Amino acid sequence: MNLHITGHHVAVTDALRSYVVTKLDRVNRHFDHVIDVSVVMSVEKLRQKVEANVHLSGREIHAACEGESLYAAIDELADRLDRQVVRHKERLQVHRGEGFERKRIEIDTAPAA
C-alpha cells in the first residue's frame, strides 16, 4: 500500500504521520488489494478537515471528515473508510461466493438397457 500524506496550511509532523499510518492499517487488514491511499489534511481557521482517496483494484473510494482536532477527524475518517472497504469486500464475495452457483451436469453411470 502506497501512502501519500499532504497538508494544506498545516505541517505534517511525524506524530500525525504515524497516527494516520496506524489508523489506516485497519483498512489494509480488512482488504488486501489496496493499491494507493492519498490523505490531505487542511486547517482553515477553526475547521480542521481530513480527506482520503483509496484506490482499490477496480474501485476508487473517497471520504472526508471534519473534527475539533485533526486526531478526531482522522479517527472518524478511518471509521468511514473501514466501513466502505468492508462493504466493497462483501459485494465482491456475494458476487463471486454464495450467490454464484455452478450448474453441475450429472452423468448417469448406469448402463443403458
Side-chain angles (χ1 to χ4, degrees), residues 1 27-28 30-38 53-62 81-90 92:
M1 171 175 83
V27 173
N28 201 22
H30 284 161
F31 193 65
D32 295 335
H33 304 291
V34 177
I35 298 170
D36 190 29
V37 179
S38 175
N53 289 322
V54 178
H55 181 69
L56 304 173
S57 55
R59 177 129 191 210
E60 188 81 23
I61 294 177
H62 175 76
L81 285 176
D82 193 37
R83 280 193 307 260
Q84 289 184 18
V85 167
V86 167
R87 189 175 340 135
H88 174 69
K89 184 178 177 180
E90 287 174 356
L92 287 178

Side-chain angles (χ1 to χ4, degrees), residues 16-64:
L16 278 174
R17 182 177 301 277
S18 65
Y19 194 73
V20 169
V21 168
T22 57
K23 287 297 182 175
L24 293 182
D25 189 40
R26 262 190 354 200
V27 173
N28 201 22
R29 267 188 288 153
H30 284 161
F31 193 65
D32 295 335
H33 304 291
V34 177
I35 298 170
D36 190 29
V37 179
S38 175
V39 178
V40 178
M41 294 182 271
S42 64
V43 175
E44 296 176 8
K45 294 188 180 179
L46 298 177
R47 284 182 38 189
Q48 299 185 359
K49 187 176 180 180
V50 180
E51 298 180 21
N53 289 322
V54 178
H55 181 69
L56 304 173
S57 55
R59 177 129 191 210
E60 188 81 23
I61 294 177
H62 175 76

Side-chain angles (χ1 to χ4, degrees), residues 4-16:
H4 305 284
I5 302 173
T6 58
H8 186 67
H9 297 294
V10 65
V12 180
T13 62
D14 290 335
L16 278 174

